[in-house]
Amino acid sequence: MNTDITHILPADFSPSSRVWIYQSNRPFGEREAEEIEEQLHQFTTQWNSHGVPVKGWGRLLFDQVIVLMADETESEVSGCSTDSSVRIIKSLERQYNVNLFDRLLLGFLVKDKLQLLPLAQVSYALDKGYISKDTLYLNNTVQTKSELENHWLIPLKESWLMQKLGQTA
C-alpha cells in the first residue's frame, strides 16, 4: 500500500487549503468507490460559497476515507458551504449504510490494510502486539493540505494518541 499521498493531492492548491476527513466504519466495494468518487467530483465542481465557486477537491483514499479540500486563496468557505459538504457526507452515509462521523473509531495501517480500532481498545492492541508504536496512524485531526501531507499518516508514537493513552515513545 502506497502511503505517500502527495502525488494524489492537487498540486495547484495552497498548503493552507482547508481539509475535512471522514472515515467510514467499513471499506467500500469497487462499485461503491467508483460511485462515491463520481459524487465527490460532482459536488466539488459545483461547490459554492455565497454564489462564488469554491476551489474544491474530494477523493476516497484507502477505499474507506473521504478527504474534502477547499483552497480558500480566492474565496473563503462560508458556514453554508461547509454545511453543504456535510450534507453530501450524510447523503453518502445513508446511501451506503455506513458511519462517517464516528470519531472514536481510529484508523491504523496494519499489514498494508486500513484497520479500525475503537479508542477503548488501542491500549489492548498495543499490549498484544496487534499494533506497535511504529504502526501508521491516521491522524484525522489535520486541518490543512500541508498538515495532510506531513502529519496525517504518522507513526503512533508521534501522535496525540500516545499522550492520551499515557504512553511514552
Side-chain angles (χ1 to χ4, degrees):
M1 174 181 287
N2 187 356
T3 57
D4 178 16
I5 59 163
T6 52
H7 68 285
I8 298 169
L9 303 178
D12 62 334
F13 275 52
S14 160
S16 64
S17 296
R18 283 179 60 191
V19 167
W20 296 267
I21 297 174
Y22 301 94
Q23 181 176 275
S24 171
N25 60 328
R26 70 163 175 85
F28 294 104
E30 193 174 328
R31 183 153 177 235
E32 290 176 321
E34 288 170 11
E35 292 170 358
I36 289 167
E37 287 279 354
E38 178 58 32
Q39 289 184 54
L40 291 173
H41 176 73
Q42 284 179 0
F43 170 74
T44 54
T45 55
Q46 297 167 6
W47 202 359
N48 282 294
S49 179
H50 298 294
V52 178
V54 170
K55 184 176 178 183
W57 176 91
R59 284 289 291 270
L60 178 65
L61 303 178
F62 305 124
D63 294 324
Q64 202 161 345
V65 182
I66 294 171
V67 178
L68 284 177
M69 186 182 306
D71 186 336
E72 296 184 298
T73 49
E74 291 164 33
S75 64
E76 284 195 22
V77 176
S78 66
C80 295
S81 49
T82 301
D83 290 348
S84 68
S85 70
V86 171
R87 273 196 302 279
I88 181 82
I89 299 300
K90 287 186 178 285
S91 167
L92 292 171
E93 271 192 325
R94 286 189 302 274
Q95 198 174 339
Y96 298 102
N97 196 24
V98 295
N99 185 336
L100 292 162
F101 290 94
D102 186 348
R103 299 291 182 223
L104 296 179
L105 213 48
L106 306 176
F108 298 89
L109 293 178
V110 179
K111 297 183 177 121
D112 287 340
K113 282 191 125 133
L114 178 58
Q115 300 290 332
L116 301 181
L117 286 172
L119 176 59
Q121 292 180 11
V122 173
S123 287
Y124 178 82
L126 260 172
D127 291 345
K128 295 297 179 195
Y130 180 68
I131 59 173
S132 75
K133 293 178 181 180
D134 294 314
T135 299
L136 287 182
Y137 165 67
L138 277 68
N139 178 22
N140 293 337
T141 64
V142 297
Q143 297 180 349
T144 65
K145 178 186 177 197
S146 175
E147 288 179 358
L148 182 68
E149 292 172 329
N150 301 301
H151 303 291
W152 182 46
L153 300 174
I154 56 174
L156 177 58
K157 65 186 173 196
E158 295 173 19
S159 75
W160 62 271
L161 192 51
M162 287 305 282
Q163 291 173 332
K164 181 160 180 61
L165 297 172
Q167 301 269 342
T168 52

